[in-house]
Amino acid sequence: MRIGEPTLDQLRIFLAVEEEGSFGGAARRMGRAISAISYGVSQMEAQLGVTLFAREGSRKPQLTEAGKGLLAEARAVTGEVDALLAKTRSLHSGLESDVSMVLDVMVPGEVTAAVLRDFRTMFPTVALRLNVEALGAVAACLLSEEAGLAVAGPVVGNHPELDRQAIGQVELIPVAAPDHPLAANGIAAGASRKYLQLVLSDRSPLTEGREFSVLSPQSWRLADLGAKHSLLKEGIGWGNMPRHMVADDLESGALVELDLPEKPGDAYALSAMWRRDIKPGPATSWLIDAIRDKLGECGN
């Protein structure tokens, strides 16, 4: 037997009858005559060579075993088409089909999670690609066109190919394990230079050779902020960390904030950045505003 291909309209009629529980209900929902609904179902049955509804002996059409077996596939097909149409309408209205974003590792995880949760609700048709980098590698993703939006720290100044907008800041504080020599009271100026400092390294050539809040000539360069965090708790060296990331450790006593005369901690300014030759679309602009607002909430 040669099986035909039902039309999208026939699939929608089939689903409407099943969901409404009657041909009349499907007709009202779709703004059609009952005869048109009945004809659509009959045509789909003829195309597939199966009976979808048992119509006799009941005022309410009942799905046959074949109808039940095809229901999930019919919903999947119409769902995919609806998603396609929604994305097409978004493209016509200027909405991006996808957004690629790179975040500085200093951005609080709770900020990222809250923004992305709301983004999914606001822009269900927009695909999102997310990457997390450190220091100059964030801006490097923009310049290499691996990302269209970045939330970057202050290590890369004004760049001729990039626009930036200040959106908030993260507090950095010097910390160490409680038994570290620098955790004592009355630390003298210059004492921090005698001890190993853990420093977040930059994998980007944009800022190669530059030092950021490095006081000690003894230093370990780490490309991963999580690894730095773990080493600090093990008592290996001292270093600056975002306050939000070590808040629980400070409360539990696993780490202590150091009172160093040099005050190496600082406000780590964050900016939204994008290429000047690509204007941010609606979804990208929403992300910029949402991240700024969430960072503001964290700072209050």
Side-chain angles (χ1 to χ4, degrees), residues 81-141:
V81 172
D82 288 341
L84 173 66
L85 294 174
K87 181 161 285 191
T88 302
R89 294 188 191 101
S90 296
L91 291 173
H92 283 299
S93 67
L95 184 64
E96 306 94 312
S97 61
D98 64 270
V99 172
S100 55
M101 178 171 63
V102 57
L103 298 180
D104 191 293
V105 69
M106 298 293 185
V107 176
E110 59 267 28
V111 168
T112 303
V115 168
L116 296 188
R117 179 197 62 215
D118 294 344
F119 180 86
R120 187 176 182 184
T121 301
M122 290 290 297
F123 303 99
T125 66
V126 179
L128 179 70
R129 298 194 301 276
L130 177 65
N131 194 14
V132 177
E133 289 288 354
L135 305 174
V138 181
C141 286

Side-chain angles (χ1 to χ4, degrees), residues 225-249:
L225 190 61
K228 178 180 177 181
H229 186 195
S230 297
L231 291 176
L232 287 168
K233 290 195 292 183
E234 289 297 324
I236 303 174
W238 69 275
N240 284 323
M241 290 290 290
R243 182 180 289 278
H244 68 265
M245 193 170 180
V246 296
D248 290 343
D249 300 310

Side-chain angles (χ1 to χ4, degrees), residues 210-277:
R210 291 176 58 185
E211 302 282 7
F212 307 103
S213 299
V214 179
L215 301 183
S216 175
Q218 306 176 58
S219 62
W220 284 4
R221 264 62 176 176
L222 305 169
D224 182 81
L225 190 61
K228 178 180 177 181
H229 186 195
S230 297
L231 291 176
L232 287 168
K233 290 195 292 183
E234 289 297 324
I236 303 174
W238 69 275
N240 284 323
M241 290 290 290
R243 182 180 289 278
H244 68 265
M245 193 170 180
V246 296
D248 290 343
D249 300 310
L250 296 176
E251 185 175 349
S252 68
L255 290 173
V256 296
E257 184 174 355
L258 303 181
D259 184 16
L260 301 179
E262 296 85 357
K263 302 298 180 186
D266 198 3
Y268 189 84
L270 293 168
S271 298
M273 302 176 66
W274 57 91
R275 292 178 61 91
R276 288 184 175 175
D277 56 353

Side-chain angles (χ1 to χ4, degrees), residues 284-300:
T284 303
S285 298
W286 182 93
L287 280 169
I288 295 171
D289 292 340
I291 295 172
R292 181 196 63 220
D293 293 345
K294 291 297 182 184
L295 284 171
E297 292 174 11
C298 287
N300 293 331

